[in-house]
Amino acid sequence: MKVVYHHRTRGEGAEGAHIRGVVHGLRELGHEVDIVSFPGADPEAKQVAKKAVKAEPSQARSKSPLSRLAEWTKNAPQFVFEWFELLYNLIAFKNLYQAAKNKQSELIYERYSLFMVAGILVAKFRGIPIVLEINDSALVERVRPLYYRKLAALIERWIIKNATGLVFISTEFKKIIENEYGAIPPSVVSPNGANINDFSPERFDSHTLKHSLGIEDKIICGYVGAFNPWHGLEWFMDIIIPRLKEKPNLVLLLIGDGISYNKIKAVVEEFGAEEQVCMPGRIAHSQVPKYIAAMDYAVLPDSNIYGSPMKLFETMAMGKGMVVPAFPPIEEVIEDDHTSWIFPAGQHHACVEQVLELADDPEQLQRIGKNARDYIVQNRQWRHNAEQLLSLLDKP
């Protein structure tokens, strides 16, 4: 089957990894996939460009006018930003229609974006099915609160009702949509996944990295992600830092950057915990598996009621269990004390206690890590996501 994958993201971070994953899964099943995106936001092209720049550092990449416009809108007033989202439909329709026509595409798979009507319109004009992947909505709390929320919800209702099928990242997200919009097209719940070839423990020498970081012969608990208040890393560090000396064999390896980075670093320095906290900063996504390989287990202090954390699946694929909060999307993919460890959401001290206790039980860490890897291999490779989305084409 010829598939066109349409998205309006920047193609970076977790969203870029998800897009590449689904595309890889479809191709693994033998389908031909082309990506249509905002100029300069193709996740696959970004990977190629990064390698080229690394090989030829003297060659700077020029940005297209649309890419420069995208950078400007990041800091524009919200109502202006939303008008640009609406107007972008004109460009998206032209590009997507042309791609679907030239490639004789038989399916549009679209990562849903607010105000994005172009995908549905192209599908109707071309007479082909469109499956939407829903991981954003006018109904959920967002980093950038909506200005035209009622308009966004009105358009969203029309988009959802006119799709061939829907892919939700969690059952909770599906419930939110159904409770507001009523009957919806055929749907599946398809949490995130991982590429078990990229995220494979056998590919990495963890001892070498530990040695380079000066943390060999220690139990390593890791965190990978943004240093933002809503991910819970601030409160986690505030509670655990004063107690780290209770576990001299434990080191926290915190990978990432963000608005909380300097605050957390200051807390580490205040308590003189530099020898037990390693903060390398932000790394390329291609380097993430190497750093996870150096961990014995990991922690996700906080999440939300509808999201499917990408790092949970990537960490488990590397054969590492995670200490995670009991939110519905996490509970539907984790078996407590078998593939990871679940603590009651919002109970901060329970999270810290679990992390500290596990530092004394390397055998449990290895057992749970093996189970975690087996679960991803058997259930949550990207081809599983591809199989689920394609199953919607057979439903009435």
Side-chain angles (χ1 to χ4, degrees), residues 295-310:
M295 303 171 187
D296 295 288
Y297 63 121
V299 61
L300 178 67
D302 208 350
S303 187
N304 56 54
I305 64 169
Y306 59 84
S308 179
M310 176 71 73

Side-chain angles (χ1 to χ4, degrees), residues 93 97 118-128:
F93 181 88
Y97 186 89
I120 296 292
L121 293 176
V122 171
K124 286 181 176 295
F125 273 97
R126 294 295 302 166
I128 58 177

Side-chain angles (χ1 to χ4, degrees), residues 113 140 214-215 327:
S113 295
V140 301
I215 55 176
F327 287 104

Side-chain angles (χ1 to χ4, degrees), residues 11-13 20 45-55 61 284-285:
E12 299 173 341
R20 288 193 300 271
K46 279 177 177 285
Q47 277 195 325
V48 174
K50 285 178 181 178
K51 291 178 181 178
V53 169
K54 187 175 181 180
R61 284 174 292 167
H285 187 264

Side-chain angles (χ1 to χ4, degrees), residues 21-22 24-26 28-29 190-197 199 313 317 373-388:
V22 173
H24 174 82
L26 286 167
E28 189 178 351
L29 296 177
S190 186
N192 275 316
N195 185 319
I196 63 168
N197 294 319
F199 289 85
F313 298 88
R373 169 74 179 179
D374 290 343
Y375 168 75
I376 297 297
V377 171
Q378 295 168 15
N379 300 281
R380 290 264 55 93
Q381 295 186 57
W382 287 116
R383 64 174 173 81
H384 295 122
N385 296 62
E387 289 169 348
Q388 285 184 289

Side-chain angles (χ1 to χ4, degrees), residues 98-119:
Q98 199 65 45
K101 179 181 178 182
N102 291 345
K103 297 291 184 177
Q104 291 298 299
S105 301
E106 302 163 82
L107 168 67
I108 296 174
Y109 185 72
E110 181 173 274
R111 184 183 174 99
Y112 169 72
S113 295
L114 294 174
F115 304 108
M116 178 53 68
V117 300

Side-chain angles (χ1 to χ4, degrees), residues 241-265:
I241 284 293
R243 299 188 57 189
L244 270 183
K245 294 191 185 301
E246 298 175 19
K247 306 289 181 180
N249 66 319
L250 175 63
V251 169
L252 303 179
L253 176 58
L254 312 179
I255 309 298
D257 197 1
I259 58 178
S260 300
Y261 184 90
N262 290 332
K263 181 178 179 181
I264 291 171
K265 188 174 182 180

